[in-house]
Amino acid sequence: MSIEVIDSELTEQRLNQLTQALGSGMFVHVRNMLHDMAASDVALILESSPPKTRQVLWQLIDQEQAGEILEELGEELKDSLISGMTPEKVAQATSGMDTDDLAYILRSLPDAVYKKVLQSMSSQDRHRVEQALSYPEDTAGSIMNTDTVTLRPDVNIDVVLRYLRQRGNLPDTTDTLYVVDKNDHVLGGVRLADLLTCNPSETIRSIMDPELESIPVDMPDNEVAQLFERHDWISAPVVDEQQKLLGRITIDDVVDVIREDAEHSMMGMAGMDDDEDTFGPVMKSTFRRSLWLTINLFAALLAASVSNMFEGTLEQFATIAILMTIVPSMGGVAGNQTLALVIRGIALGHIGQSNSRWLIGKELAIGFLNGIMWSVLVFFAVWLWKDDMALGGLIGGAMLINMTVAGLAGASIPLLLKKLNIDPALAGGMVLTTVTDVIGLFAFLGLATIFLM
Amino acid sequence: MSIEVIDSELTEQRLNQLTQALGSGMFVHVRNMLHDMAASDVALILESSPPKTRQVLWQLIDQEQAGEILEELGEELKDSLISGMTPEKVAQATSGMDTDDLAYILRSLPDAVYKKVLQSMSSQDRHRVEQALSYPEDTAGSIMNTDTVTLRPDVNIDVVLRYLRQRGNLPDTTDTLYVVDKNDHVLGGVRLADLLTCNPSETIRSIMDPELESIPVDMPDNEVAQLFERHDWISAPVVDEQQKLLGRITIDDVVDVIREDAEHSMMGMAGMDDDEDTFGPVMKSTFRRSLWLTINLFAALLAASVSNMFEGTLEQFATIAILMTIVPSMGGVAGNQTLALVIRGIALGHIGQSNSRWLIGKELAIGFLNGIMWSVLVFFAVWLWKDDMALGGLIGGAMLINMTVAGLAGASIPLLLKKLNIDPALAGGMVLTTVTDVIGLFAFLGLATIFLM
């Protein structure tokens, strides 16, 4: 009996084989290949295929696997596949899903389909799902499962062992059973490892961890993720305001939150929606991206209108026009460095009331030091290039002003946006670049007008 | 017995209390507060404090916790604290650490300290660590632990249960015991949950999962992370080329890899080192950031030298100078959207040989469509603003060219960099912006020179 060692080239190979088989119309062969794969691998293949190929592949998959495959897909692709299914098919495909994943899918369905899917479910499933849907998105409640196994504190381990053998299985990713009193209040947790290694005649109370931390159901999911990361948890109990056990959160859902938040920051900073599907249709992508470009057009026109104020100077000195992009460009890069640092700090929970002033001061200092360094460099560079010392001085002075402002703005803009409940990862970059462009142009063209005209 | 429910404001409050207590010199109080906290909370407090406060806090922590706290810190802060410790202290603090974390710390020590730390260790620990250090960084081997518990296939469950009770405990994050033959080849895995729920008279072979996948020791750690995410694993066995069991990787280390890779992409795109410490010293940060600014200065001078080629045109038409930043700016934003999408696709393993041409074609099409849309818009905007239809046409034409190039460059630059083994998250943004700036200026100033001069 040999064991499968994972080959990182495998997906690539499979994708090539599938593409070829599809190209030559060998649909039965493709169907067999897909049925032999794990759901997560089929999901990866779907994610990596252009829209037309996806439609064909989706028809050929093992219908039993449909739900599992949907669970693994990115949001945009998932929505587009579900929108092509009948409500009955959706209900059938989703019947074996974890509550939290099912609720996640139902949230994105149009109202009519949503109701039909709920109607096609068994009443028990419907109840489970309706409860999950009652928690707001992006909170502990929305990523929670309700399949907890609970124990009473005063039974012996061997009683628990008999009970578990009778039960026959445990929910996925169970590492800890929760100990509760008769009102479902959490008293502690017992790890499976402890059940296996402790003396069977001991009581649950004596081996449980009474310090087990519970998560309030309304905690934002990114804070839940921070706790899991910090404490290396596999699962944690979720409680209501009365500390009553409602369910549990498992590390696999937390990993999804971490990945989504990270993507959100990275894509957001580039002005992209993190739901965007890499191999999605062209027209949809074009429109999705236009919001950001519209905002940028206004920012660019604003910068141009600053230049417009100095038309006289620009008319007289073409050299000023040639050099005028350097100062905004350096300010933009320096400001973005600070911005990325502060956004990460906010995401990791490192930045709060008590240290934000210190941080702004630090970044201002770095901006000023950077400003001195780069203004000297650019002074010599321009002096040598244009053989004009005064011009070098002007651009150096403007650089110092803009780099200092960039440090200040890079640190304070995300903190300000956060206070206003605007996502800094999304809006920070555009606001910052507008500031550094406008200040950079003002400083350079202003100084030039004062000293040269 | 009541259970602690987590309060997300807690860290903020603690930080305020500590800062106040430190300010009024109540060191004993601070020491007591720190000793009462979990290592991960102390680490969070250290991360969130300015350098001077950190030094004081570090003196006051519970020395027993030092190793655990170090494990939780970011790289830059960890290095700076360790560099202030004697080798003996480092050896003492790190004695209880997981092998992989210890190896990670030792890698960053100066040679002299490193040797002394190794000498102060027990020979068993030293052997363990030297083996871990033999695996290259960022591979499965470097995040692997060697504390696996293995079983033989032909014993009964009750024999295993007796063995585990005698053993008394299991390594952290153990969810699966590995079944091996006499040559340590992995035959399968048995989940703790199965040991608890199956009939004790069954054999390990009958309940083990023979399909358990093993990870080759030289697999890059980001591919390991993708596998964990895709399959919702808690742990996985690591094997050598002969499929012999070497150790196991656990989800907590994988979460660190995911977080680090995500930070690396986000910070890298802004030209920042992902090791950079949010509250680190000013001078260090200033110098760390200058590489990126130096490269940007060259890029900005390159753009200026493009403008310089059209000095005659700029001399004659100040309006051209006023408008010349708009085209590069829009191209930069459009290109960066594509870049972020492609970098994420590469990171998720969605993009390979078979679909990259399709992707480039798609992004080129989006760039062209965007180009048409925005060139029409900017044509009307400039026509209205400057009352000059020809000028509007010129800038519109340049926009179409630059947006199309931006789509093509945004998709092909990261793929090309990846082929050259250069990290696209790090270099992609700068290369792209240089391309869109240069092409944007060339297109606009070039068209202006042809049609207006």
Side-chain angles (χ1 to χ4, degrees):
Chain A
M1 205 180 304
S2 112
I3 199 118
E4 186 182 350
V5 175
I6 285 145
D7 180 354
S8 53
E9 309 276 291
L10 199 62
T11 315
E12 182 68 24
Q13 281 175 23
R14 277 175 174 165
L15 201 54
N16 277 331
Q17 285 170 4
L18 278 175
T19 314
Q20 279 179 10
L22 276 183
S24 35
M26 295 155 70
F27 295 114
V28 180
H29 182 55
V30 172
R31 179 196 296 266
N32 292 339
M33 280 181 71
L34 288 173
H35 286 224
D36 284 347
M37 286 183 202
S40 52
D41 292 326
V42 179
L44 186 65
I45 299 272
L46 284 171
E47 285 278 8
S48 310
S49 303
K52 277 185 197 162
T53 316
R54 280 173 179 171
Q55 290 305 333
V56 181
L57 290 175
W58 183 243
Q59 301 304 323
L60 297 173
I61 61 151
D62 184 354
Q63 291 306 319
E64 303 271 296
Q65 276 189 322
E68 257 183 286
I69 295 171
L70 283 176
E71 274 184 277
E72 303 284 333
L73 294 176
E75 196 151 354
E76 186 169 314
L77 177 53
K78 181 158 50 187
D79 290 351
S80 89
L81 290 177
I82 289 178
S83 69
M85 292 164 79
T86 61
E88 290 73 28
K89 271 216 161 168
V90 176
Q92 192 193 334
T94 53
S95 64
M97 273 190 193
D98 285 347
T99 336
D100 56 337
D101 294 321
L102 183 49
Y104 190 80
I105 285 186
L106 287 181
R107 261 184 237 276
S108 63
L109 291 180
D111 263 11
V113 183
Y114 166 90
K115 277 182 193 147
K116 279 198 190 155
V117 172
L118 272 187
Q119 279 164 12
S120 337
M121 282 180 178
S122 72
S123 71
Q124 198 192 344
D125 279 357
R126 197 183 315 145
H127 178 73
R128 227 166 39 112
V129 166
E130 277 171 339
Q131 203 184 6
L133 283 168
S134 69
Y135 302 113
E137 254 187 302
D138 301 328
T139 61
S142 75
I143 55 168
M144 165 183 95
N145 280 316
T146 48
D147 54 0
T148 47
V149 177
T150 55
L151 305 174
R152 284 299 164 78
D154 297 316
V155 294
N156 284 356
I157 295 181
D158 53 5
V159 175
V160 173
L161 293 180
R162 271 202 305 275
Y163 162 69
L164 291 177
R165 275 180 209 135
Q166 212 176 334
R167 203 178 186 281
N169 64 58
L170 286 171
D172 282 347
T173 327
T174 298
D175 68 319
T176 302
L177 306 181
Y178 304 126
V179 184
V180 295
D181 65 14
K182 62 181 191 306
N183 298 317
D184 260 353
H185 291 163
V186 182
L187 302 174
V190 172
R191 298 186 312 140
L192 298 190
D194 293 329
L195 286 177
L196 286 166
T197 54
C198 289
N199 187 330
S201 63
E202 288 191 71
T203 63
I204 289 299
R205 189 187 292 281
S206 70
I207 65 159
M208 79 178 184
D209 172 14
E211 308 263 278
L212 181 79
E213 289 179 279
S214 298
I215 292 175
V217 69
D218 57 354
M219 180 180 264
D221 62 0
N222 60 336
E223 287 182 25
V224 174
Q226 284 175 21
L227 287 171
F228 268 77
E229 271 191 85
R230 224 172 278 151
H231 299 287
D232 293 346
W233 289 337
I234 304 301
S235 70
V238 179
V239 294
D240 67 10
E241 279 171 22
Q242 282 78 44
Q243 305 220 22
K244 216 167 134 173
L245 182 68
L246 295 174
R248 64 188 186 111
I249 292 177
T250 52
I251 182 76
D252 51 317
D253 294 315
V254 170
V255 167
D256 291 343
V257 171
I258 293 173
R259 174 67 84 184
E260 270 164 34
D261 281 358
E263 275 181 17
H264 177 75
S265 296
M266 185 204 135
M267 299 284 276
M269 283 184 74
M272 288 285 272
D273 194 320
D274 50 313
D275 289 344
E276 179 153 336
D277 168 8
T278 314
F279 294 91
V282 170
M283 291 309 289
K284 202 167 173 185
S285 300
T286 304
F287 286 106
R288 263 178 177 253
R289 296 185 199 177
S290 30
L291 173 65
W292 209 238
L293 287 162
T294 311
I295 298 171
N296 187 61
L297 184 61
F298 280 103
L301 286 173
L302 182 66
S305 71
V306 171
S307 314
N308 198 41
M309 293 164 64
F310 301 96
E311 193 168 4
T313 313
L314 289 169
E315 233 158 41
Q316 216 165 333
F317 304 97
T319 322
I320 298 292
I322 290 164
L323 299 175
M324 78 180 187
T325 53
I326 297 174
V327 175
S329 157
M330 293 294 282
V333 169
N336 258 306
Q337 290 182 326
T338 301
L339 185 75
L341 188 78
V342 175
I343 288 176
R344 183 190 61 165
I346 292 174
L348 294 176
H350 289 171
I351 300 175
Q353 208 74 48
S354 59
N355 53 17
S356 57
R357 199 168 301 171
W358 190 92
L359 184 64
I360 293 175
K362 177 201 144 197
E363 291 299 323
L364 181 65
I366 293 176
F368 181 71
L369 285 177
N370 261 331
I372 291 180
M373 217 157 77
W374 298 103
S375 64
V376 171
L377 257 168
V378 86
F379 163 72
F380 282 110
V382 167
W383 182 11
L384 284 174
W385 184 18
K386 292 289 172 189
D387 198 17
D388 185 338
M389 198 173 137
L391 197 63
L394 285 175
I395 199 169
M399 187 75 90
L400 179 57
I401 294 170
N402 202 32
M403 297 285 266
T404 311
V405 169
L408 182 66
S412 48
I413 286 171
L415 292 170
L416 195 72
L417 288 173
K418 206 198 143 203
K419 270 212 176 137
L420 300 172
N421 270 323
I422 302 172
D423 181 359
L426 223 64
M430 193 55 79
V431 177
L432 175 80
T433 310
T434 308
V435 170
T436 51
D437 277 0
V438 167
I439 301 285
L441 286 174
F442 247 117
F444 182 50
L445 298 179
L447 287 177
T449 306
I450 295 167
F451 289 100
L452 299 181
M453 297 294 280
Chain B
M1 204 180 307
S2 113
I3 199 119
E4 185 183 352
V5 175
I6 285 144
D7 180 356
S8 53
E9 308 277 291
L10 199 64
T11 316
E12 182 69 22
Q13 281 176 22
R14 276 175 174 166
L15 201 54
N16 277 331
Q17 285 169 5
L18 278 175
T19 314
Q20 279 179 9
L22 275 183
S24 34
M26 296 156 70
F27 294 114
V28 179
H29 182 56
V30 172
R31 179 197 295 269
N32 292 340
M33 280 182 70
L34 288 173
H35 286 223
D36 283 347
M37 286 182 203
S40 52
D41 293 326
V42 178
L44 186 65
I45 299 273
L46 284 171
E47 285 278 9
S48 309
S49 305
K52 276 184 197 164
T53 317
R54 279 172 180 171
Q55 290 304 331
V56 181
L57 290 174
W58 184 241
Q59 301 305 320
L60 297 174
I61 61 151
D62 184 354
Q63 291 305 317
E64 302 271 296
Q65 275 189 324
E68 255 183 290
I69 295 171
L70 282 176
E71 273 184 277
E72 303 284 333
L73 294 175
E75 196 151 353
E76 187 169 311
L77 177 53
K78 179 155 56 184
D79 290 351
S80 88
L81 290 176
I82 289 179
S83 68
M85 293 164 79
T86 61
E88 290 75 26
K89 272 216 161 167
V90 176
Q92 195 194 331
T94 53
S95 65
M97 272 187 194
D98 284 348
T99 335
D100 57 337
D101 295 320
L102 183 50
Y104 190 78
I105 286 186
L106 287 180
R107 260 184 239 275
S108 64
L109 292 180
D111 264 10
V113 183
Y114 165 90
K115 276 183 192 146
K116 277 196 192 160
V117 173
L118 272 187
Q119 278 164 14
S120 336
M121 282 179 176
S122 73
S123 71
Q124 199 193 342
D125 280 357
R126 196 184 315 146
H127 178 72
R128 227 165 38 113
V129 167
E130 277 172 339
Q131 204 185 4
L133 283 168
S134 69
Y135 302 113
E137 255 187 300
D138 302 327
T139 61
S142 74
I143 55 168
M144 162 183 96
N145 280 315
T146 49
D147 54 0
T148 47
V149 178
T150 55
L151 305 173
R152 283 301 164 78
D154 297 315
V155 294
N156 284 358
I157 294 180
D158 53 4
V159 175
V160 173
L161 293 179
R162 273 204 304 276
Y163 162 70
L164 291 177
R165 277 180 207 136
Q166 213 177 335
R167 205 178 184 278
N169 65 58
L170 286 172
D172 283 348
T173 327
T174 297
D175 69 318
T176 302
L177 305 181
Y178 304 126
V179 184
V180 294
D181 66 13
K182 63 180 193 305
N183 298 316
D184 262 352
H185 291 163
V186 181
L187 302 174
V190 173
R191 299 185 312 141
L192 297 191
D194 293 329
L195 287 177
L196 286 167
T197 54
C198 289
N199 187 331
S201 63
E202 288 193 70
T203 63
I204 290 299
R205 188 186 295 280
S206 70
I207 65 160
M208 80 179 184
D209 171 14
E211 308 263 280
L212 180 78
E213 288 179 279
S214 299
I215 292 174
V217 69
D218 57 354
M219 179 180 265
D221 61 1
N222 60 336
E223 288 182 23
V224 174
Q226 284 175 21
L227 287 171
F228 267 77
E229 271 191 85
R230 223 172 281 152
H231 300 285
D232 293 345
W233 290 337
I234 304 299
S235 71
V238 179
V239 295
D240 66 9
E241 280 171 20
Q242 282 78 43
Q243 305 219 23
K244 217 167 134 173
L245 182 68
L246 294 175
R248 63 187 188 113
I249 291 177
T250 53
I251 183 75
D252 51 317
D253 294 315
V254 171
V255 167
D256 291 344
V257 171
I258 294 172
R259 174 67 85 182
E260 270 164 35
D261 282 357
E263 277 181 15
H264 177 76
S265 295
M266 184 206 137
M267 298 284 275
M269 282 183 76
M272 288 285 274
D273 194 320
D274 51 312
D275 289 343
E276 181 154 335
D277 168 8
T278 314
F279 294 90
V282 170
M283 290 308 289
K284 202 168 172 184
S285 300
T286 305
F287 285 106
R288 262 177 178 256
R289 297 186 199 175
S290 27
L291 175 64
W292 209 240
L293 287 162
T294 312
I295 297 171
N296 187 61
L297 184 60
F298 280 102
L301 286 172
L302 183 65
S305 71
V306 171
S307 314
N308 198 40
M309 293 164 62
F310 301 96
E311 192 168 4
T313 312
L314 289 169
E315 234 158 40
Q316 217 165 330
F317 306 97
T319 321
I320 298 292
I322 289 164
L323 299 175
M324 78 181 185
T325 52
I326 297 173
V327 176
S329 158
M330 293 295 282
V333 169
N336 259 305
Q337 290 182 326
T338 301
L339 185 75
L341 188 79
V342 175
I343 288 176
R344 183 190 62 165
I346 293 174
L348 294 177
H350 291 170
I351 300 175
Q353 208 73 48
S354 59
N355 53 17
S356 57
R357 198 167 303 170
W358 190 91
L359 184 63
I360 292 175
K362 175 201 144 199
E363 290 300 323
L364 182 65
I366 293 176
F368 181 71
L369 285 177
N370 262 329
I372 290 180
M373 216 157 76
W374 297 102
S375 62
V376 171
L377 256 168
V378 87
F379 163 72
F380 282 110
V382 167
W383 182 11
L384 285 175
W385 183 20
K386 291 289 172 188
D387 197 19
D388 184 338
M389 197 173 138
L391 197 63
L394 285 176
I395 199 167
M399 188 75 90
L400 179 58
I401 294 170
N402 202 31
M403 297 283 267
T404 311
V405 170
L408 182 65
S412 48
I413 287 172
L415 293 169
L416 195 72
L417 288 173
K418 206 198 144 206
K419 270 213 176 136
L420 301 172
N421 268 323
I422 302 171
D423 181 359
L426 222 64
M430 193 54 80
V431 177
L432 174 79
T433 311
T434 308
V435 170
T436 50
D437 277 0
V438 167
I439 301 287
L441 286 173
F442 247 117
F444 181 51
L445 298 179
L447 287 177
T449 305
I450 294 169
F451 288 99
L452 299 182
M453 295 293 280

